[in-house]
Amino acid sequence: MLNRILLARGVQCKGCVEKSDFVKRVKETADVKELPAAPPKTYYELGQVKEIYSHQVYLAGLAKHRDETGLPVIVDYFSHSCGPCIQIAPIFEEMARAYAGRAVFWKIDVNRNHESSAAAGVRSMPTFNFFLNGQKF
């Protein structure tokens, strides 16, 4: 009977009918009227720059993108009192929008997050670091 219904709808694949859990999944979803809402997009999928306030968040974020997303991470080490940092900020934000969902853009205030900027070896600002799979390039 299921084969007849599928054929009437133009479904040519019969392999899915042979899978043991196919009928069970069809029955479980028979009363679903609409698909569940998609999870909210992350800041990097929306093309936003995220400020990283602590070294723990910095390390956890690098690990996440190394292990889960595989996305490159571009980090801008800046200071609010740095003229060139202020000038480059709109361009950095524009790049984040241009590469939305394809790269992660972070800002780290060197006066607020000393540990992360020291770990990266930042000596002057603005400094940009590129990470891919947890390695700095």
Side-chain angles (χ1 to χ4, degrees), residues 20-124:
S20 60
D21 66 335
F22 178 76
V23 174
K24 179 183 165 201
R25 286 185 292 143
V26 168
K27 288 179 181 177
E28 287 174 352
T29 59
D31 61 340
V32 174
K33 301 295 182 217
E34 62 184 64
L35 293 175
K41 290 188 175 189
T42 59
Y43 68 92
Y44 51 87
E45 291 173 320
L46 297 171
Q48 298 172 345
V49 178
K50 179 179 181 179
E51 187 166 349
I52 304 299
Y53 294 104
S54 74
H55 192 58
Q56 291 77 21
V57 172
Y58 171 78
L59 294 175
L62 287 177
K64 173 186 176 175
H65 295 296
R66 178 193 65 219
D67 300 336
E68 295 175 24
T69 69
L71 294 174
V73 179
I74 298 96
V75 185
D76 173 14
Y77 298 88
F78 77 104
S79 171
H80 291 287
S81 61
C82 164
C85 298
I86 293 167
Q87 290 176 325
I88 199 86
I91 297 167
F92 192 69
E93 290 171 1
E94 185 179 314
M95 287 179 62
R97 286 189 296 275
Y99 290 95
R102 295 182 291 163
V104 178
F105 289 81
W106 290 349
K107 293 180 79 77
I108 294 181
D109 184 348
V110 297
N111 298 316
R112 192 173 203 178
N113 189 347
H114 302 283
E115 201 172 350
S116 296
S117 55
V122 174
R123 302 269 183 231
S124 62

Side-chain angles (χ1 to χ4, degrees), residues 1-11 14 17:
M1 180 166 144
L2 186 56
N3 284 332
R4 214 171 347 118
I5 295 169
L6 292 174
L7 287 173
R9 294 184 181 171
V11 176
K14 294 180 183 169
V17 177

